[in-house]
Amino acid sequence: MLQISNLSKTYPNGVQALKDVTLNISNGMFGLLGPNGAGKSSLMRTIATLQDADSGTIVFDGIDVLTQKQELRKTLGYLPQEFGVYPKVSAEEMLHYIARLKGISNDKERKELVKALLEQVNLYNHRNKYLGGYSGGMKQRFGIAQALIGNPKLIIVDEPTAGLDPAERLRFNNLLSEIGENIVVILSTHIVDDVNELCNDTAIIASGRVVQRGNPEDLLNGFKDKIWSKRVAKDEVARYQSEYKLVLSKLSGGKMVVHIYSDTDPGNGFVAENATLEDIYFANIS
Ligand code: ADP
């Protein structure tokens, strides 16, 4: 269990990136969902012991994360948002290097581990290729392989599918879904579908604050019978925004569709819509 309590952080330039964040996260895949600039990376970097908070505490499995940094690092696997690779090193060489750094000094044991990891992330056939020649998706899968070295109990992946094409994204998400359910995996993302597909627990963060918390099913139940949709002309959207609680407007088949929030049937041509995580996301960040 990861317990984050009353965590706040203001950068020297005055930006308050985290405002009294409290989250209890159990084993399984947890989705931290929020728009760019919401504070996701600030929170991920703090949990990963790479930066300090101004106030608050983080405890993981009895480890005080903010003071026992070395202890936490032994049990952490981290795939950062900006993931640089040495371009002229092969995946196999790099995994050996990282495994040695993580203390796996027995040659046979390390060879078996590296082979198993390369197979797990589907890079075994590309093991001798330089990392500089890897596609975005291959780099991210390599990132997962390095994060898994040392049997971490806590894995953090920060915006892993941003910039991947749909096939690479699917492949990466399938890989993530195979990581054990007996560890805490935190997926930070602004892509609602990633959380929809993978996570059994989620929080939505906006402007440094947690604005929604729960498993996606419970969140959807809270929005049951409250989302209504209507096809409108593009130049009518502003009017609907002023007259209703507009949740989102989006193009669908070349036409504009608005979703509004209403406890009762708004009439006026609106039809009941099954709420999605996307509705909840937009209702909370706008
Ligand atoms: P996200 O990962 O959700 O996009 P970040 O945690 O990167 O959000 O950023 C949250 C806010 O803090 C943003 O306004 C960002 O510009 C600001 N910020 C992030 N890192 C720094 C930093 N090192 N110094 C100053 N401001 C920062």
Side-chain angles (χ1 to χ4, degrees):
M1 171 87 119
L2 178 69
Q3 293 168 298
I4 301 164
S5 306
N6 308 106
L7 205 69
S8 292
K9 170 76 180 175
T10 301
Y11 288 109
N13 63 359
V15 173
Q16 201 181 350
L18 298 173
K19 299 171 189 163
D20 202 26
V21 170
T22 294
L23 282 172
N24 289 331
I25 301 175
S26 308
N27 283 352
M29 185 80 77
F30 180 87
L32 182 72
L33 187 58
N36 287 332
K40 302 183 297 297
S41 289
S42 299
L43 183 57
M44 297 300 98
R45 287 197 303 264
T46 312
I47 301 169
T49 74
L50 297 176
Q51 70 180 45
D52 289 320
D54 298 330
S55 56
T57 58
I58 307 177
V59 177
F60 178 68
D61 251 4
I63 301 169
D64 180 340
V65 174
L66 298 178
T67 57
Q68 297 174 280
K69 294 183 180 172
Q70 283 305 335
E71 282 307 303
L72 194 273
R73 285 173 196 164
K74 282 184 201 155
T75 190
L76 171 75
Y78 180 47
L79 176 55
Q81 191 172 4
E82 298 289 326
F83 182 62
V85 291
Y86 293 98
K88 297 228 162 144
V89 178
S90 75
E92 188 171 41
E93 280 174 307
M94 195 65 204
L95 288 178
H96 269 283
Y97 176 71
I98 298 169
R100 259 189 236 108
L101 283 183
K102 287 200 180 176
I104 304 168
S105 51
N106 180 295
D107 281 355
K108 184 161 172 282
E109 184 191 344
R110 201 177 54 248
K111 262 188 200 148
E112 281 168 9
L113 172 71
V114 168
K115 181 163 184 274
L117 285 170
L118 286 165
E119 282 170 347
Q120 184 177 354
V121 301
N122 213 349
L123 288 174
Y124 189 74
N125 292 338
H126 304 282
R127 65 190 181 281
N128 296 319
K129 233 189 208 174
Y130 283 161
L131 291 169
Y134 271 19
S135 70
M138 289 163 83
K139 273 185 199 151
Q140 291 301 70
R141 282 184 280 132
F142 170 79
I144 284 292
Q146 62 82 27
L148 287 173
I149 294 174
N151 284 328
K153 296 274 181 293
L154 171 63
I155 293 187
I156 295 174
V157 278
D158 197 356
E159 300 265 5
T161 64
L164 298 191
D165 71 34
E168 282 179 328
R169 185 179 151 264
L170 187 67
R171 200 179 246 206
F172 184 84
N173 280 353
N174 283 340
L175 170 63
L176 267 191
S177 73
E178 283 163 15
I179 296 177
E181 287 175 357
N182 298 325
I183 59 177
V184 175
V185 182
I186 305 179
L187 167 69
S188 145
T189 183
H190 65 271
I191 301 172
V192 180
D193 281 345
D194 282 348
V195 174
N196 238 340
E197 288 162 20
L198 293 168
C199 301
N200 52 2
D201 195 7
T202 185
I204 298 173
I205 179 172
S207 304
R209 274 186 213 287
V210 175
V211 291
Q212 273 288 349
R213 174 80 185 85
N215 71 45
E217 216 171 297
D218 287 345
L219 294 181
L220 290 175
N221 279 336
F223 272 64
K224 203 166 176 305
D225 303 326
K226 292 183 174 162
I227 296 293
W228 307 80
S229 74
K230 184 178 177 181
R231 284 185 182 280
V232 303
K234 276 182 200 159
D235 59 8
E236 290 178 310
V237 173
R239 183 163 63 79
Y240 280 90
Q241 184 148 28
S242 64
E243 287 177 16
Y244 296 95
K245 272 194 202 167
L246 191 86
V247 171
L248 60 86
S249 57
K250 61 179 179 182
L251 286 165
S252 173
K255 294 254 172 64
M256 213 60 189
V257 176
V258 291
H259 284 197
I260 63 161
Y261 182 97
S262 174
D263 289 326
T264 54
D265 186 344
N268 192 18
F270 276 97
V271 294
E273 187 74 39
N274 282 329
T276 64
L277 201 54
E278 193 182 34
D279 291 311
I280 296 172
Y281 176 69
F282 283 107
N284 277 286
I285 65 166
S286 48

